[in-house]
Amino acid sequence: MTEEQFYEALQQKGIELSDVQKQQFKRYFEVLVEWNEKMNLTAITDAPSVYLKHFYDSITSSFYVDLSSIQSICDVGAGAGFPSIPLKICYPHLQVTIVDSLNKRITFLNHLANELKLEKVAFVHARAEEFGRDPKYREQFDLVTARAVARLSVLSELCLPLAKQGGFFVSMKGAAASEELQDATRAVKLLGGVLQEEHEFLLPVENSERHIFIIKKEKQTPKKYPRKAGVPNKTPITG
């Protein structure tokens, strides 16, 4: 996907990028490639793939969720800033908080935010489990998202505690999504969520399968969740 194809594909979805926003995506790509030589941020570094598999793919959730009515987003395990930084570029009003367990990625994100002149962004170095128990962040966000970080049953335990009541957890998944959803049914309910919508589509150009689950947070998450660091991964809530 060339830069022009990227702009056109977004335009077809009603997202018109200004020159400033286009320049931000361009600079994002340059900084990503630059820093990737020093640290392993992504295996994808050629421009057409970055524009398709990182930038465009990150923005797809906004085709199904009205982000103009959302104020705050938390991105769990964003790595090099996906999906929340591309969303922030398209929707500058968003207050974005990224939590990641690797400090060097946080260093990269701080540098990136300065380069792109992003405001209302916060990068927190923490394990998602500890972050989700911190009263400063727990049940504070309109929308919590994660892109292919872990299985849905595990992700639900990391993300739903951060969504405020009436807010959303949006999970972005690839091909094995339906099976993951089945496994996660009990976890989603237990943690206060209800599956509201499920969308399936093909990523353009390469036609790879994508799923987006929109889970509404209807009840408070029981205090015992998320469990201690490492536990959700080892023994996910299933059944």
Side-chain angles (χ1 to χ4, degrees):
M1 179 178 265
T2 64
E3 281 179 57
E4 281 308 317
Q5 286 171 326
F6 171 67
Y7 306 145
E8 278 166 28
L10 290 186
Q11 210 173 9
Q12 283 167 12
K13 298 289 185 181
I15 300 171
E16 286 273 0
L17 295 182
S18 67
D19 290 345
V20 171
Q21 289 166 310
K22 288 176 183 177
Q23 190 52 44
Q24 283 175 312
F25 277 113
K26 203 179 175 64
R27 188 69 192 123
Y28 193 168
F29 168 68
E30 291 166 357
V31 174
L32 181 69
V33 172
E34 218 174 280
W35 277 61
N36 205 55
E37 288 173 13
K38 297 183 270 188
M39 62 171 78
N40 182 26
L41 290 165
T42 175
I44 297 165
T45 53
D46 64 288
S49 298
V50 169
Y51 271 85
L52 175 67
K53 295 179 185 178
H54 283 330
F55 296 166
Y56 184 84
D57 195 17
S58 289
I59 298 162
T60 52
S61 63
S62 75
F63 306 159
Y64 307 103
V65 180
D66 177 15
L67 289 186
S68 59
S69 62
I70 298 281
Q71 286 302 312
S72 57
I73 282 193
C74 180
D75 188 353
V76 175
F82 308 119
S84 57
I85 300 293
L87 288 171
K88 168 72 178 169
I89 294 173
C90 292
Y91 298 89
H93 74 281
L94 292 173
Q95 293 171 357
V96 171
T97 302
I98 292 178
V99 56
D100 200 279
S101 60
L102 262 190
N103 203 29
K104 62 180 187 176
R105 286 203 283 253
I106 298 294
T107 307
F108 163 75
L109 290 167
N110 276 311
H111 174 76
L112 179 69
N114 284 333
E115 287 288 316
L116 304 187
K117 298 182 171 53
L118 299 178
E119 293 172 358
K120 296 192 287 191
V121 289
F123 310 117
V124 183
H125 174 225
R127 290 291 296 257
E129 295 94 334
E130 288 148 16
F131 186 80
R133 296 181 82 94
D134 186 334
K136 188 178 166 190
Y137 302 111
R138 187 180 179 88
E139 304 199 314
Q140 294 301 312
F141 298 96
D142 297 329
L143 190 149
V144 184
T145 190
R147 182 170 166 248
V149 174
R151 287 183 69 79
L152 189 59
S153 51
V154 178
L155 269 186
S156 299
E157 185 169 350
L158 302 179
C159 294
L160 275 166
L162 295 164
K164 57 172 71 162
Q165 242 174 303
F168 297 92
F169 161 39
V170 175
S171 176
M172 309 174 74
K173 288 285 176 188
S178 305
E179 178 199 321
E180 282 194 37
L181 182 63
Q182 227 168 341
D183 286 350
T185 307
R186 180 168 171 258
V188 168
K189 191 178 176 187
L190 186 63
L191 296 156
V194 172
L195 179 68
Q196 203 172 49
E197 293 172 37
E198 179 183 350
H199 300 279
E200 187 183 332
F201 60 97
L202 296 176
L203 203 60
V205 187
E206 63 170 32
N207 288 333
S208 50
E209 200 178 312
R210 291 290 185 271
H211 293 256
I212 288 177
F213 299 125
I214 300 171
I215 294 165
K216 187 166 188 187
K217 172 84 167 272
E218 295 210 325
K219 295 181 191 149
Q220 278 194 319
T221 301
K223 281 196 167 55
K224 65 181 270 196
Y225 300 106
R227 292 165 293 167
K228 282 183 183 161
V231 177
N233 226 344
K234 279 190 200 115
T235 53
I237 304 162
T238 51

